[in-house]
Amino acid sequence: MHDAGSSLAVGEMTGRPLSRRDLARGLAADGVSGVFGGVMNGFLDTVFAQNVGLVSMTKVRSRYVAAVAGGILVLLGLVPKPGEIVASLPGPVVGAAGPVMFATVTAVGINTLRKVEFEGTNVLIVAVSIGVGMLPVMAPSIYHAFPTWVRIVGGSAITSATVAAFLLNLLFNHTPGRKKTETEPEALPAAVPDSAPAT
């Protein structure tokens, strides 16, 4: 769900709304990438929200740039010296870019919420999702007594808020019998026969 949200945000910023097929292809590519990561003894990779912020900041939207950046990362992994150059960057320089990127991601999310019709249950969905996402931040030990899988999902503010928003939206807006129905126009009065012409 996180990857889907990042893909939708990038599609919106680039002016190319994603179709269901585009979204499915993106998720499939992400899955294949994770498989290759495991084969090469690496970690499962995923789409990071920082990348969405970078696209918004730099205005660089070419897939070829992403491919070249991937090649550079492979080079940094194989040749130690270039990696040492990147590692030599001062911590404050790298740290200063972080808040800007994450704040940009937040701004993109707010811009997405701006298009939501805050009527009926949508306000409740957003409010509860934000509240659930704030739980592990405000009370880090809240899930310590739960099973491991609950701590993994609930311990992440982004993951828990996303799961809550998904489930609540599914419950309130996509459950049979709960769908919104448009107001039907009032029935027109029956046609009245013309009066007989006056004699």
Side-chain angles (χ1 to χ4, degrees):
M1 288 178 286
H2 177 243
D3 294 346
S6 299
S7 300
L8 291 172
V10 172
E12 182 177 341
M13 285 189 297
T14 56
R16 180 187 172 186
L18 299 183
S19 64
R20 290 180 179 269
R21 183 183 177 191
D22 294 332
L23 193 57
R25 291 171 60 190
L27 294 176
D30 194 33
V32 172
S33 177
V35 171
F36 276 111
V39 170
M40 297 180 180
N41 200 28
F43 294 101
L44 179 67
D45 58 355
T46 183
V47 177
F48 287 97
Q50 298 96 306
N51 298 331
V52 179
L54 283 174
V55 172
S56 178
M57 288 171 54
T58 62
K59 306 299 182 183
V60 176
R61 303 168 180 177
S62 172
R63 68 183 70 179
Y64 302 107
V65 174
V68 171
I72 293 174
L73 291 176
V74 172
L75 178 64
L76 293 177
L78 297 176
V79 183
K81 290 301 179 182
E84 290 180 4
I85 296 175
V86 175
S88 66
L89 291 175
V93 174
V94 179
V100 178
M101 287 192 297
F102 286 111
T104 305
V105 175
T106 304
V108 172
I110 294 173
N111 184 55
T112 302
L113 287 177
R114 182 177 56 86
K115 302 178 181 179
V116 175
E117 296 181 2
F118 284 103
E119 298 177 358
T121 57
N122 285 341
V123 175
L124 179 65
I125 292 173
V126 174
V128 173
S129 300
I130 293 175
V132 171
M134 291 297 295
L135 283 177
V137 178
M138 304 302 296
S141 61
I142 189 170
Y143 296 111
H144 281 188
F146 287 84
T148 303
W149 68 270
V150 176
R151 295 199 301 269
I152 293 175
V153 176
S156 170
I158 295 177
T159 304
S160 57
T162 302
V163 171
F166 177 81
L167 294 178
L168 289 173
N169 183 54
L170 189 66
L171 174 64
F172 288 114
N173 294 330
H174 298 282
T175 303
R178 302 280 305 189
K179 292 181 178 179
K180 298 178 182 179
T181 56
E182 295 181 359
T183 306
E184 297 181 357
E186 297 181 1
L188 296 175
V192 179
D194 295 335
S195 301
T199 54

